[in-house]
Amino acid sequence: MNFSSRLLEEAVNEFSKLPGVGQKTALRLVLHLLNKDEAEIGRFAGAMVTLKKDIKYCTVCHNISDDETCSICTSPKRDHETICVVEDTRDVMAIENTNQYFGSYHVLGGLISPMDGVGPSDLQIESLVKRVATHPVKEIILALSANMEGDTTLFYLHKKLKDFNIPITTIARGIAFGGELEYADEVTLGRSIITRVPYENTLIKG
Amino acid sequence: MNFSSRLLEEAVNEFSKLPGVGQKTALRLVLHLLNKDEAEIGRFAGAMVTLKKDIKYCTVCHNISDDETCSICTSPKRDHETICVVEDTRDVMAIENTNQYFGSYHVLGGLISPMDGVGPSDLQIESLVKRVATHPVKEIILALSANMEGDTTLFYLHKKLKDFNIPITTIARGIAFGGELEYADEVTLGRSIITRVPYENTLIKG
């Protein structure tokens, strides 16, 4: 691109480093912001800087938090003996949005991925083992992505946790609600037949 | 969304004000940035703040510039007697990328749009009239979008400029290169027949 201004080019380059943002989109975002007043741009830039500077991670579950311990880990309404292990804070938010889970979480901060140089020691796995060893836990739910990194992490976690003799479960895989059978991939469809459940179990009680 | 942190929520809200960025995308962008170190986030935030603070608009053509007069308006290689009138700096960049235009520009800073409260006085129209009145100009090219705002602006500009008796042209409309006739809309196809050109004129000389 032919930029008429070096400052403009720098701002566009910074924006185009964001995932999924190319140079044209970056230019559109920068010109959009440029039309705002200085205070508004200051708020935009400041929010990110403040977040990075003041962000805390819950000392129990390692979720992003404003305090030492997050609101879920301190809530008396939650079941702290059930731990749902997830990759990152987005998964916590996604599960919270379902309003179907009332236990606590453990945020790994990623998945084991030798390709990206992420090993078990880069994740909050030791602290999970310690947490399970020192607190009463009645179930560990592994809610990880169904890809190679997820499966590797699942395997590793199971190995680390199985000696505690606590039920370890994983979230159900299958055809999505609203999904049509003919468009489902073979692996999902095949596994959904193998792991079929009694019809009565699928009825929501209450 | 259920945010575990107020700071995170604020950053996501700021990002989701950007055009085409919803809450989920904003969250993805914020978490991506959060993984970077403080210096990198500072550069990202600083680029936009610096741009807003130090940005200049060329006193001749009103394009975004680092100096009082932009590099196109000061270039001895450009034809300063031909003025291409465009909506904003993105159009300048798009035309520059074609390597087919060697004149100068005039950036209006928008289009007349009564719906959005943008009138002629909000745009660089008076300064265009003054520029044409005080400098030798041999052609004015109106390169505006083919929508209602573009047509309204075109009509207004023509009214303001016609008494100078300088040729006023608009960029050619028609079927895009690579575009198939059957998928073209009726207006474009109809106009492209009415404004047909001799075949010899379409051959690039040189």
Side-chain angles (χ1 to χ4, degrees):
Chain A
M1 277 203 217
N2 285 309
F3 288 96
S4 60
S5 150
R6 193 184 43 79
L7 291 171
L8 178 65
E9 185 170 4
E10 273 168 26
V12 169
N13 283 344
E14 286 297 330
F15 270 80
S16 59
K17 286 179 194 165
L18 294 171
V21 177
Q23 278 226 313
K24 278 203 172 181
T25 306
L27 179 63
R28 193 160 59 95
L29 298 180
V30 168
L31 291 179
H32 170 87
L33 278 172
L34 195 58
N35 276 331
K36 306 285 169 195
D37 59 37
E38 230 166 288
E40 206 158 330
I41 292 171
R43 267 200 303 281
F44 172 81
M48 198 59 229
V49 172
T50 310
L51 175 64
K52 180 67 184 182
K53 198 157 54 76
D54 295 342
I55 195 76
K56 290 191 185 73
Y57 293 91
C58 173
T59 50
V60 179
C61 73
H62 308 288
N63 192 13
I64 290 174
S65 168
D66 287 338
D67 305 300
E68 291 295 309
T69 315
C70 77
S71 56
I72 294 174
C73 287
T74 51
S75 168
K77 289 181 185 158
R78 310 287 298 219
D79 167 13
H80 299 288
E81 302 194 348
T82 304
I83 300 177
C84 180
V85 180
V86 294
E87 179 182 346
D88 67 17
T89 194
R90 273 183 291 179
D91 300 328
V92 173
M93 290 168 66
I95 295 173
E96 285 297 289
N97 279 337
T98 67
N99 286 317
Q100 298 290 328
Y101 180 67
F102 309 100
S104 64
Y105 292 94
H106 194 89
V107 179
L108 295 176
L111 294 173
I112 297 173
S113 172
M115 292 277 282
D116 302 317
V118 181
S121 60
D122 299 312
L123 307 175
Q124 297 293 349
I125 292 180
E126 268 318 302
S127 74
L128 173 62
V129 174
K130 201 174 151 202
R131 190 174 162 194
V132 173
T134 54
H135 291 80
V137 176
K138 60 172 196 268
E139 183 179 355
I140 301 167
I141 304 169
L142 303 177
L144 304 179
S145 292
N147 52 23
M148 202 161 71
E149 290 78 20
D151 284 347
T152 310
T153 312
L154 217 57
F155 182 78
Y156 186 86
L157 286 174
H158 184 257
K159 204 177 69 177
K160 281 277 184 183
L161 296 169
K162 69 177 190 295
D163 292 339
F164 289 107
N165 284 319
I166 297 166
I168 300 174
T169 56
T170 71
I171 52 169
R173 308 281 177 204
I175 309 296
F177 283 94
E180 298 194 27
L181 286 206
E182 58 174 323
Y183 297 122
D185 64 288
E186 297 88 350
V187 178
T188 304
L189 188 54
R191 292 296 298 263
S192 78
I193 293 171
I194 296 170
T195 59
R196 64 193 177 277
V197 291
Y199 174 63
E200 303 90 66
N201 293 8
T202 64
L203 303 172
I204 290 175
K205 281 118 189 161
Chain B
M1 278 204 216
N2 286 309
F3 288 95
S4 59
S5 151
R6 193 184 42 79
L7 290 171
L8 179 65
E9 185 171 3
E10 272 168 26
V12 169
N13 283 344
E14 286 297 330
F15 270 79
S16 60
K17 285 179 193 164
L18 294 171
V21 177
Q23 279 225 313
K24 279 203 171 181
T25 306
L27 179 61
R28 195 160 57 94
L29 298 180
V30 167
L31 292 179
H32 171 88
L33 278 173
L34 195 58
N35 276 331
K36 306 285 169 196
D37 59 35
E38 230 166 289
E40 206 159 330
I41 293 173
R43 268 200 302 283
F44 172 81
M48 198 59 229
V49 172
T50 309
L51 175 64
K52 179 67 184 182
K53 198 157 54 74
D54 295 342
I55 194 76
K56 290 190 185 73
Y57 292 92
C58 173
T59 51
V60 180
C61 73
H62 308 289
N63 193 14
I64 290 174
S65 168
D66 287 339
D67 305 299
E68 290 295 309
T69 315
C70 78
S71 56
I72 293 174
C73 287
T74 51
S75 169
K77 289 181 186 159
R78 310 287 300 219
D79 166 14
H80 298 290
E81 300 194 349
T82 303
I83 301 177
C84 180
V85 180
V86 295
E87 180 181 347
D88 66 18
T89 194
R90 272 184 290 179
D91 300 329
V92 173
M93 289 169 67
I95 294 172
E96 285 298 290
N97 279 336
T98 67
N99 286 317
Q100 297 291 328
Y101 179 67
F102 308 100
S104 64
Y105 292 93
H106 194 90
V107 179
L108 295 176
L111 295 173
I112 297 173
S113 172
M115 291 276 282
D116 302 317
V118 181
S121 60
D122 300 312
L123 307 175
Q124 298 293 350
I125 292 180
E126 267 319 303
S127 74
L128 172 63
V129 174
K130 201 174 150 200
R131 191 174 162 192
V132 173
T134 54
H135 291 79
V137 176
K138 61 173 195 265
E139 183 179 354
I140 302 167
I141 304 169
L142 303 177
L144 304 179
S145 292
N147 53 23
M148 202 162 71
E149 290 77 20
D151 286 347
T152 309
T153 312
L154 217 58
F155 182 78
Y156 186 85
L157 286 174
H158 184 257
K159 205 177 69 178
K160 280 276 184 185
L161 295 169
K162 69 177 191 293
D163 293 339
F164 289 107
N165 284 321
I166 297 166
I168 299 175
T169 56
T170 72
I171 52 169
R173 308 283 179 202
I175 308 296
F177 283 93
E180 299 195 26
L181 286 205
E182 59 175 322
Y183 298 123
D185 65 287
E186 296 88 349
V187 177
T188 304
L189 188 54
R191 291 296 296 263
S192 78
I193 292 172
I194 295 170
T195 60
R196 64 191 178 278
V197 290
Y199 173 65
E200 303 90 68
N201 292 8
T202 65
L203 304 172
I204 290 175
K205 281 116 191 160

